[in-house]
Amino acid sequence: MNPNSQIKTLGQLKASGYTSRSVKEEMRENLVRALREKKNLFGEIKGYEETVIPQLQTAILSRHNIILLGLRGQAKTKIARLMTNLLDEYMPIVAFSEANDDPLNPLTRYAKDVIDEKGDNTPISWVHRSERYTEKLATPDVSVSDLIGDLDPIKAASLKLTYADERVIHFGLIPRSHRSIFVINELPDLQARIQVALFNILQEGDIQIRGFKLRLPLDIQFVFTANPEDYTNRGSIVTPLKDRIDSQILTHYPKSPEISKQITMQEAKLTQFQKECIKMPELLKDLLENVSFEARASEYIDQKSGVSARLTISALENLYSTAERRMLINGENNTSGRISDLFGTIPSITGKVELVYEGELEGISNVAFFLVGKTVRKAFEKIYPSPEKIKKSKKDNPYKKITDWFSDGNYIDLVQNMSNLEYQKSLESIPGLKETVLHYQPGLSKEDLTLQMELVLHGLAETSQISKQKLDEGIQFKDLMSTMFNLGPDPDADETDYGFGRN
């Protein structure tokens, strides 16, 4: 509710003691107040508390235009949108003004004419801070007319004015963002001639439209975002424009899986039904976060392109949905996440990474499966002794019963849509598996015990003690040697049938 809603004319606004401030001064004063009151206006941004946020606050205190430079999925746009929290909740404008004219300091010809005609009876309206944010994605087809404005022949005809009259001008996005925050995303994608048009706006406040040179002292907080790779791939920021942007702030990916998990849980769109009916163990959430960390270090993935935080957000949503689909098919009321459910997140991985040449040779699906497998192996070796180290140390092998069972020709299929009971019985049918888990992790709950049993299976496969092969409907575990002797290359096989269990 606007506390100033009773102020409806210029005279009432003057009587209230209202004073004009620039948008940058307004944001500065509100930030000063927030810092003194220990308010965190950027609480939704995780992992930047000691790096990006202090630099951002410094730039705002300095009343700077800002560019956020970083790889994709580093919350650049989210930061820009949260900057609206630093604006006053409501701002007065001359009613029906298309450029948010300050009643005490009008900018456009329209506002000046209205005030000259009506004086203190000039009608005032109030704009909420959410309406003082404009965002434009830079694309090659953006024109000067879009950003700054153009002559409007329809307006000229209806008002019976010549093109020499400034009232025929139709303002673009930037003048309409007067006294507001204006964001241009992916700035390097903007054509160089369009970037040049921003020079005077940033520095002197001049705009030129089809021969008109208007002295419009625009009051705008500019925020730009860019990916560093765009400097060489798709375009560049022209040097004079970059020189006019006061503060350049470098963003980064989360520095730990714990922070990454906080971001994922905050941003993932899960239904209440999923939250209530599906238990998702912390182990699976941790594995999911570690997939993105493995991807950011993988030799198969283009590190200059980056691995967006959206990978784990989408993957978590797919993880829940994979378990939910299985639960619905089996007519169950609840279920718990499984290691094999991680393979339901593959579509979230394949669409979020750019491969280098070696990765293209492997194939995107194989790379995704490899990343998941590598993550599972590391989790397995944190909890259980490494089979390779056991062999070297000549200690008793705790996995001997398990591997011997597979060596006898036995195998197990973990089908994607197995019911909870079938899943549990299948794992418990393997001699020594349950005992091995309980030896290293006593006192586990029923769901966690089953999950750890599956983790051991995947861990043994990833360390080449048994084989793991993708089936159309799930995953099959069997003896490694029988797989080597019985499976030859099939020229018609899909690429995802191979590449499992690699070191």
Side-chain angles (χ1 to χ4, degrees), residues 206-388:
D206 290 338
I207 64 171
Q208 294 185 25
I209 300 175
R210 300 266 183 172
F212 277 102
K213 184 176 181 181
L214 301 177
R215 179 64 180 173
L216 289 182
L218 293 172
D219 176 22
I220 298 174
Q221 170 67 62
F222 281 97
V223 180
F224 304 97
T225 73
N227 186 317
E229 273 304 288
D230 290 340
Y231 287 115
T232 55
N233 287 350
R234 299 199 300 266
S236 63
I237 301 176
V238 295
T239 304
L241 177 58
K242 190 178 179 184
D243 182 60
R244 284 166 168 81
I245 302 173
D246 308 294
S247 287
Q248 176 176 284
I249 299 173
L250 302 180
T251 58
H252 56 81
Y253 287 121
K255 295 183 177 180
S256 71
E258 292 74 22
I259 294 174
S260 183
K261 186 162 68 170
Q262 292 178 31
I263 296 171
T264 302
M265 295 307 298
Q266 173 181 281
E267 300 298 326
K269 295 178 176 62
L270 304 174
T271 67
Q272 192 60 35
F273 177 78
Q274 289 175 325
K275 293 177 183 177
E276 291 174 354
C277 299
I278 301 167
K279 178 186 176 184
M280 194 57 63
E282 290 300 313
L283 172 63
L284 289 180
K285 295 177 184 177
D286 292 338
L287 287 171
L288 209 54
E289 299 303 332
N290 284 315
V291 168
S292 65
F293 279 79
E294 288 294 337
R296 290 174 192 142
S298 173
E299 60 185 1
Y300 296 128
I301 293 174
D302 184 1
Q303 302 306 316
K304 294 180 180 179
S305 176
V307 178
S308 170
R310 286 182 282 269
L311 184 151
T312 49
I313 296 168
S314 299
L316 183 67
E317 293 167 350
N318 265 352
L319 187 65
Y320 269 87
S321 296
T322 300
E324 180 184 24
R325 177 179 177 273
R326 179 181 65 247
M327 178 185 71
L328 296 174
I329 289 174
N330 289 311
E332 297 170 328
N333 295 323
N334 53 70
T335 191
S336 183
R338 304 170 184 173
I339 301 292
S340 49
D341 289 339
L342 287 171
F343 297 102
T345 68
I346 295 299
S348 299
I349 301 172
T350 55
K352 296 288 192 299
V353 296
E354 299 289 336
L355 302 181
V356 295
Y357 178 71
E358 292 79 2
E360 295 287 356
L361 292 178
E362 290 286 334
I364 184 63
S365 294
N366 275 347
V367 170
F369 276 99
F370 174 66
L371 291 173
V372 173
K374 191 173 182 181
T375 302
V376 169
R377 173 175 176 166
K378 286 187 176 181
F380 165 72
E381 291 183 336
K382 279 185 179 180
I383 302 172
Y384 303 95
S386 167
E388 295 175 351

Side-chain angles (χ1 to χ4, degrees), residues 18-33 60 63 83-92 127-129 132 179-181 219 221:
Y18 175 82
T19 56
S20 298
R21 294 176 297 171
S22 70
V23 63
K24 292 178 180 176
E25 193 63 42
E26 176 186 336
M27 294 175 66
R28 171 187 161 80
E29 290 180 12
N30 289 333
L31 177 58
V32 168
R33 186 180 303 110
I60 293 169
R63 294 167 295 182
M83 287 175 67
T84 57
N85 292 332
L86 291 169
L87 298 172
D88 292 342
E89 188 172 7
Y90 287 93
M91 175 186 74
V127 176
H128 190 260
R129 61 185 167 207
R132 297 173 61 191
R179 303 168 72 201
S180 303
I181 299 172
D219 176 22
Q221 170 67 62

